[in-house]
Amino acid sequence: MKRTLAILATFAILAVSCGGGGTGAAPTATTAVTSAPTAAATPAWKPTRPIELVVQAAAGGGSDIFARKIADILTKEKLVDQPINVVNKPGGSGAVAYNYVLQKKGDPHVLATVTLSYLATPLQEKPGFTFKDFSNLATLAVDDFIAVVKAESSYQSLTDLINAAKAKPKEIKVGGTQVGSSDSIIPALIEQATGAQFNYVTFRSGAEVNTAILGNTVEWQAANPGEAKALIDGKKLRAVAAFAPQPLKGYESVKTAKDQGVNVIWEQFRGIIAPGGIGEAEKAFWQKTLTDMTKSAEWAKYMEDNTLRALVKTGGDAEKYVDETNTTLRTVLTKLGLIK
């Protein structure tokens, strides 16, 4: 149990904790990181028809919540004067949604949410696109992760889950949304660190995984706190570990994986993209608009309610961050044997 993945854990922190994708002597992974927006002060373009905000996962999960909150705030704050329609396109570890956006080249009225699968899917599945085929408008937030089980579960800790998976290889099921996403990488890191073997089962969204846990279809998942909060507060689910350097705000009583003998730390960014080929004025509008949105009181409440941390980067800063995160993720996935 004391074996660790110090190198991989460091890569995980590097993937999302600071500008440029690396920590060096920079703040720890729990430090909120922001950068000044690079968008023009007064964009020369604004939307002229309804906006389509594409979500790469099914309704009810973290990405869906993220998208709908963005649409709601942009409308309420009158930052966008056109309707914003949230459209869920799950499937293919994000490939369905991103291929759809790919076909909208040059259209600034189409946006999409992105998480780590935006980078992991092209690295693993070779779907015919990479992040370079899109306009990387902004990163907005960082997710931490917790291990959750059914409230009545006999598993009281991450140690219990690992011991069970060692005793019954491939019989302890962990639910997730996409191979190569954070909820699959975390169990893989645990397996590498401990020798345990889980059975990873995919669903269309984090909300569906929660339902599977409640229905005893799977034993646990690595969830972002926002997806599980309502069920934890309602005593339906129980957190047994945090994959962070220190206990998370609101989950102070939940021991970190490191404190349980497994040095696995993982985070993921959340951002917004547009199709490739849009103009500079169109990019500038969305960069400024999304930055302005993050200054609203409602956004601050959303961040706190969902245990998210700020990572506001736009323009060249966002492009650099995504590029360097992609390089780091390639290293992690290679070391895990998920890509060659």
Side-chain angles (χ1 to χ4, degrees), residues 33-229:
V33 184
T34 62
S35 65
T38 57
T42 308
W45 176 89
K46 67 177 183 178
T48 57
R49 63 176 190 271
I51 306 303
E52 189 173 17
L53 179 51
V54 179
V55 184
Q56 83 287 357
S63 291
D64 182 65
I65 295 168
F66 177 70
R68 294 180 190 279
K69 180 54 66 175
I70 289 173
D72 186 50
I73 296 175
L74 291 180
T75 300
K76 285 182 177 178
E77 297 289 329
K78 298 182 179 180
L79 295 170
V80 175
D81 58 11
Q82 292 289 333
I84 302 174
N85 302 313
V86 176
V87 181
N88 297 86
K89 291 186 177 294
S93 296
V96 171
Y98 302 135
N99 268 311
Y100 175 81
V101 177
L102 191 68
Q103 303 308 311
K104 302 292 183 176
K105 186 174 181 179
D107 187 351
H109 297 87
V110 178
L111 305 176
T113 59
V114 294
T115 61
L116 213 58
S117 65
Y118 171 59
L119 305 178
T121 295
L123 288 172
Q124 293 180 284
E125 305 298 333
K126 313 297 183 186
F129 64 80
T130 74
F131 69 94
K132 295 180 180 179
D133 294 310
F134 301 91
S135 299
N136 298 284
L137 297 175
T139 64
L140 299 175
V142 169
D143 274 303
D144 288 298
F145 287 84
I146 54 176
V148 297
V149 299
K150 192 174 180 178
E152 299 83 6
S153 171
S154 61
Y155 301 113
Q156 299 296 315
S157 65
L158 182 63
T159 302
D160 289 346
L161 286 166
I162 290 169
N163 288 340
K166 286 182 175 181
K168 299 181 290 185
K170 297 293 184 181
E171 289 188 28
I172 304 302
K173 299 182 182 67
V174 51
T177 55
Q178 300 162 359
V179 174
S181 66
S182 294
D183 59 29
S184 72
I185 290 174
I186 289 170
L189 288 171
I190 294 170
E191 289 176 338
Q192 288 279 333
T194 67
Q197 295 183 53
F198 296 105
N199 182 358
Y200 182 73
V201 182
T202 58
F203 298 85
R204 297 194 308 162
S205 72
E208 288 191 6
V209 182
N210 288 336
T211 300
I213 295 174
L214 296 176
N216 300 311
T217 302
V218 300
E219 279 76 20
W220 72 286
Q221 76 156 316
N224 66 65
E227 289 180 331
K229 186 177 187 301

Side-chain angles (χ1 to χ4, degrees), residues 11 25 141 190 212 215 299 306 315 326:
F11 283 135
I190 294 170
W299 181 257
N306 290 276
N326 186 69

Side-chain angles (χ1 to χ4, degrees), residues 21-34:
T23 55
T28 65
T30 56
T31 302
V33 184
T34 62

